[in-house]
Each structure stands twice: as C-alpha cells, then as structure tokens.
Amino acid sequence: MNYPPKSVTCKCGNQLTVDRRRVWCTKCGQPVYYHEKDQRWHRINALYIYVIFVSVILLVAYFFIEMIAKPFLNH
C-alpha cells in the first residue's frame, strides 16, 4: 500500500522520502517507518527479542553450572 510521499529523517541523519509503510535507510541500513508509532513498535519488539535472547543464554548458563559444573566441583 502506497502513502503520499513524506520526508523522514533517519537516526543517522540521512533524509529519506518515504512512500510506503517501511523503507530501509541507504546510509545505515536501518528501517525507517512512515508513521512514528510503527517506529516505536519496532524498537519495543527489538528490545523484547534482546531480552528473551539474553534470558535464554542465562538460563542455559544456570543449568550448565547446576548440572555439570557443580557436581565436578563437589568431588
């Protein structure tokens, strides 16, 4: 779906003309959205994915320490 052209500035400072819901910045490669609300949702979703990824890594490290490393240290 095409929107009326609108000039949007990327976080890197590059000026883009956006006529779709999302375009990619030619300078830094980050997505630039037509509506500011979509840009906020992108940031929230990215933060959510990072938190889940770090949580999984910490959970795996915890299980490794409890099930593998701790029994070897007790002997």
Side-chain angles (χ1 to χ4, degrees):
M1 180 173 167
N2 289 337
Y3 297 106
K6 173 180 163 181
S7 182
V8 178
T9 304
C10 181
K11 288 189 284 186
C12 68
N14 190 19
Q15 192 78 358
L16 297 164
T17 301
V18 179
D19 62 349
R20 292 177 284 173
R21 182 176 163 262
R22 176 181 69 190
V23 296
W24 297 92
C25 179
T26 56
K27 189 174 180 182
C28 66
Q30 295 294 318
V32 178
Y33 291 88
Y34 189 85
H35 299 290
E36 183 64 30
K37 180 181 79 169
D38 293 335
Q39 186 75 29
R40 283 193 306 267
W41 275 112
H42 174 72
R43 279 190 236 124
I44 290 170
N45 287 338
L47 179 63
Y48 176 74
I49 294 298
Y50 294 141
V51 167
I52 294 298
F53 182 72
V54 168
S55 299
V56 167
I57 297 296
L58 291 175
L59 183 65
V60 168
Y62 171 76
F63 282 134
F64 174 77
I65 291 170
E66 286 294 322
M67 295 182 164
I68 296 173
K70 200 172 186 180
F72 284 122
L73 294 176
N74 289 338
H75 288 275

